[in-house]
Amino acid sequence: MHTSFSTTKFAALMALASVVAGTNLPDGCARTAVVQSGNTCDDISAAYNVSTYQLAAVNGDMINVGCTNLYPGETLCLGIKDQDCDTTHVVVKGETCYSVAGAAGISVTTLLDNNPNLNTICTNMYTGEVLCTSSHVYVSITYT
Ligand SMILES: *[C@@H]1O[C@H](CO)[C@@H](O)[C@H](O)[C@H]1NC(C)=O
């Protein structure tokens, strides 16, 4: 179901991730990367096959909304064990959710499930964004 999920689901996951990230790295961190000088979040996402959404969600409040607070030498967690999507696609100009999902052989529903920062009509997808394109749904949100 994809009614009005993006803001609520994202906020819930961010809150959860911040709690988990109380220590330096979240519990169950499956892989890490060290920030290099000049890196953006999307550079790191593209280099390590981690979605833009997952990188932000896993690192909770260590990464601010615009991702302007990274610093060289900082260790980021890239994914949590069993919730770690490493099948990704970097969006190029002109792509849509339909074309990305089609190329990956998955449904738009699965694409949206794994990338809950996208709105349901995908108008906020941007060039350089890294999307999880796995056929397995990794992002689970509890509806309350
Ligand atoms: C990212 O995924 C591509 C395509 O599957 C693969 O060739 C590459 O080795 C992966 N890179 C990393 C760092 O896992």
Side-chain angles (χ1 to χ4, degrees), residues 49-133:
N49 296 342
V50 48
S51 71
T52 295
Y53 169 78
Q54 181 171 300
L55 186 68
V58 165
N59 291 283
D61 52 15
M62 288 175 61
I63 296 179
N64 65 19
V65 172
C67 191
T68 56
N69 63 340
L70 294 182
Y71 58 90
E74 178 177 20
T75 300
L76 298 175
C77 180
L78 302 178
I80 306 291
K81 191 176 177 300
D82 299 328
Q83 299 163 38
D84 183 12
C85 177
D86 63 0
T87 302
T88 55
H89 172 75
V90 181
V91 175
V92 299
K93 196 170 182 338
E95 284 185 321
T96 64
C97 276
Y98 293 92
S99 67
V100 170
I106 61 173
S107 67
V108 171
T109 301
T110 298
L111 183 71
L112 293 172
D113 281 344
N114 272 325
N115 302 278
N117 54 325
L118 293 174
N119 64 36
T120 50
I121 52 170
C122 271
T123 48
N124 62 344
M125 194 173 101
Y126 61 89
T127 301
E129 180 169 12
V130 185
L131 299 176
C132 169
T133 51

Side-chain angles (χ1 to χ4, degrees), residues 36-57:
Q36 308 296 312
S37 179
N39 275 169
T40 64
C41 278
D42 285 343
D43 290 339
I44 294 166
S45 288
Y48 291 96
N49 296 342
V50 48
S51 71
T52 295
Y53 169 78
Q54 181 171 300
L55 186 68

Side-chain angles (χ1 to χ4, degrees), residues 1-23:
M1 284 205 294
H2 282 278
T3 41
S4 60
F5 71 112
S6 63
T7 320
T8 320
K9 282 167 86 177
F10 189 75
L13 212 132
M14 291 299 282
L16 184 66
S18 330
V19 171
V20 174
T23 53

Side-chain angles (χ1 to χ4, degrees), residues 82 109-110 113-114 134-140:
D82 299 328
T109 301
T110 298
D113 281 344
N114 272 325
S134 176
S135 58
H136 175 79
V137 175
Y138 286 92
V139 178
S140 62

